[in-house]
Amino acid sequence: MQAVDPDLWIRRFHPAGPASARLVCLPHAGGAASYYFSLSRALSPGVEVLAIQYPGRQERQLERRRETVAELADEITEVIRPLADQPLYLFGHSLGATVAFEVARRLEAADVKLAHMFVSARRAPGLNRNQRVYERSDQELIKQIRSLTGTALDVFDDPEMTAMVLPAIRSDYKAAETYVYAPGPKLTCPVTALVGDTDPMVSAEEAVAWSEYTDGTFELRIWPGGHFYLETHAADVVSTISAGMPA
C-alpha cells in the first residue's frame, strides 16, 4: 500500500498543550472533518482534537472515494499510529463509529494501547440491518438523509451542490452497509456508547450490545433525540468525553 499522507487525513482546528490527550474524531456518512470544529473548540487546549477528513469531499473532492470500512480503517490506522505517544482516544459518529472500532482493533493488534473509545449513533459491529440504501436512486437516498434531520440539509435544494456531495454520501453508505464483522479478540479499552432515544438507525438494545466487544469497562449514555442528537446535546457530549479522560 502506498504511504498515507497525514496532512491529507487530519485536520487540527485549535491549538493544544504539549501534554494534551489526543482525540481522533471520525465523521458520519457524508460528513467531513469540519463537523467536529465545535467539539474541538470546546475541548481545546486540554485535548488535541484530530478530525479525520475522508477522501471525496471538500478539498479532497477529486480523490478516489473509499467504499469499504476496511480500507478506511487501514489508512487511518497508518496515519494515527505514530501519534500514540500521547494518550489516544477515538470518537466516531454513525459510520465513524464502525470505522473507529476497526481502527481500534488494528491499533491494539499492533500493541498500541488505546485510552478510550466513544461510539455514537451506531449499532454494535455484528448487528447488520441489510438496508442497502446505497443502491437506491438519488431521490430515495436524499429522502433517507433528510429523514435523519442532520445539519446542512439545504445543500439538497441546490442541484449543483447535490451533484457534488451525493457521490461521497453514496460511497460512505456503501462502506457502512456492506461492512461485515469478522470475529476476533475483544478490545481491551473502555468503551462508551452514545445514542439518541428516537434514532431510527440504532436502538438502545443495539447500542448496549457494544459491551460484548470489549473486556474494558462499558457505559451507555442515552439522550432525547434522533440520529443527530449530539447537535442539541453538545455540552453533554463534551462532558461525557471529558469524564472519560483523566483529570
Side-chain angles (χ1 to χ4, degrees), residues 5 12 22 24 67 95 104 162 206 218 221 237 242 245:
D5 183 355
R12 294 174 172 88
R22 287 176 173 147
V24 179
E67 295 189 332
L95 165 65
T162 298
E206 290 173 317
F218 175 79
R221 298 296 308 274
V237 172
S242 298
M245 296 180 167

Side-chain angles (χ1 to χ4, degrees), residues 1 11 24 27 30 41 92 97 105 108 123 145 149 198 212 239:
M1 183 174 67
R11 300 291 174 271
V24 179
R41 181 173 55 196
R105 297 178 92 183
E108 290 202 348
R123 55 192 174 274
I145 298 164
T149 62
T198 59
E212 301 171 14
S239 295

Side-chain angles (χ1 to χ4, degrees), residues 1-54:
M1 183 174 67
Q2 186 177 3
V4 181
D5 183 355
D7 291 338
L8 289 176
W9 288 84
I10 296 175
R11 300 291 174 271
R12 294 174 172 88
F13 299 120
H14 300 92
S20 60
R22 287 176 173 147
L23 177 69
V24 179
C25 294
L26 300 116
H28 53 281
S34 55
Y35 189 76
Y36 292 112
F37 181 89
S38 296
L39 181 63
S40 173
R41 181 173 55 196
L43 291 171
S44 176
V47 177
E48 182 182 25
V49 172
L50 310 176
I52 297 297
Q53 185 77 308
Y54 302 146

Side-chain angles (χ1 to χ4, degrees), residues 143-209:
K143 182 179 179 181
Q144 167 69 15
I145 298 164
R146 288 186 182 278
S147 74
L148 301 178
T149 62
T151 57
L153 290 177
D154 56 349
V155 69
F156 298 114
D157 297 329
D158 183 330
E160 290 186 6
M161 288 298 298
T162 298
M164 185 179 298
V165 303
L166 207 57
I169 295 173
R170 188 177 297 279
S171 292
D172 288 354
Y173 265 80
K174 183 176 182 180
E177 294 177 336
T178 59
Y179 171 77
V180 177
Y181 168 71
K186 290 185 179 183
L187 299 178
T188 63
C189 65
V191 173
T192 299
L194 306 86
V195 66
D197 64 357
T198 59
D199 188 343
M201 301 296 289
V202 54
S203 66
E205 291 75 18
E206 290 173 317
V208 79

Side-chain angles (χ1 to χ4, degrees), residues 196-244:
D197 64 357
T198 59
D199 188 343
M201 301 296 289
V202 54
S203 66
E205 291 75 18
E206 290 173 317
V208 79
W210 279 99
S211 63
E212 301 171 14
Y213 294 82
T214 184
D215 284 328
T217 59
F218 175 79
E219 182 181 11
L220 175 66
R221 298 296 308 274
I222 304 175
W223 289 284
H227 196 61
F228 288 95
Y229 72 91
L230 69 175
E231 294 177 5
T232 51
H233 297 279
D236 294 322
V237 172
V238 169
S239 295
T240 298
I241 293 172
S242 298

Side-chain angles (χ1 to χ4, degrees), residues 74 77 81 101-114 184-189:
D74 285 344
T77 300
R81 184 177 174 183
F101 172 71
E102 287 295 335
V103 169
R105 297 178 92 183
R106 286 157 171 75
L107 289 173
E108 290 202 348
D111 295 322
V112 175
K113 184 174 177 58
L114 286 173
K186 290 185 179 183
L187 299 178
T188 63
C189 65

